[in-house]
Amino acid sequence: MGNVIEIRDLHVKAKTDSGRVVEIIKGVDLSVADGEIVALIGESGSGKTTIALTLLGYTRPGCAIAGGKVVVAGRDTVTMSEAEKRALRGTEVAYVPQSAAAAFNPSKTIMDQVVEVAKIHHLMPMPEARRKAVDLFEALALPEPETIGRRYPHQVSGGQLQRLSAAMALIGDPKVMVFDEPTTALDVTTQIEVLRAFKSVMRERGMAGSTSPTISPSSPRSPIGSSF
Ligand SMILES: Nc1ncnc2c1ncn2[C@@H]1O[C@H](COP(=O)(O)OP(=O)(O)O)[C@@H](O)[C@H]1O
Ligand SMILES: [Mg+2]
């Protein structure tokens, strides 16, 4: 089994409001084997999201990669062209954000948004994508999987929308799923329900993943990995 993720000596810098450049990621190493589920744990602001986003070849405005390698499925996102990054996102790596509400467009139906990756990347004909979406809704234990896609984002609960954002991420069969604190906005019972749905769908697909990416702030070179 190979490693689907290899992060080596990653450094990320950020420009502060006063114009000073600070290093926010200081030499992180992380390996994730095919099929492995790794959780990163660390306090707020320790760099979890910053690391997670580099897997998609992305840094937030004001931030930039200052060194190191981020190899995903054999290719380094640090040296990739924008076109290569676009091809990577959704098909090799997909991201489930903290706030599903912010990830969905309120004026489009859920189905239209879930199948969008398949459409943009021409992965399959649209009827097949819609069929696959319904299968994913079922696997994620969503109610009325055949018809829930006709609703708009405000017509489902927070926990359901979070599971629907996982369906959106899974439609392109990515090799890596990044879950960035996908349940922090939910109440505790809903968190359990949503995590259970994620876990079962990931197992079913034998996928690698990273959830709530985190590093221990005092020891950035040794992220705490655990299976959940
Ligand atoms: N554009 C920026 N300018 C300055 N600092 C930033 C910028 N973006 C992020 N940071 C800082 O980087 C650190 C890591 O942020 P983040 O990865 O979001 O942490 P986490 O996800 O662990 O809460 C934070 O301390 C944050 O203040
Ligand atoms: Mg974060």
Side-chain angles (χ1 to χ4, degrees), residues 14-17 22 24 42-51 60-63 180-181 213-214:
K15 213 174 196 165
T16 62
D17 298 336
V22 292
I24 55 173
E43 67 187 37
S44 179
S46 59
K48 306 180 293 292
T49 296
T50 306
I51 294 172
R60 284 172 291 191
C63 299
D180 192 355
E181 301 196 48
T214 286

Side-chain angles (χ1 to χ4, degrees), residues 150-174:
R150 290 186 212 148
R151 300 192 207 172
Y152 287 86
H154 70 275
Q155 294 171 318
V156 299
S157 74
Q160 288 166 359
L161 199 61
Q162 206 48 274
R163 277 178 278 163
L164 288 160
S165 77
M168 195 197 292
L170 284 161
I171 198 91
D173 284 325

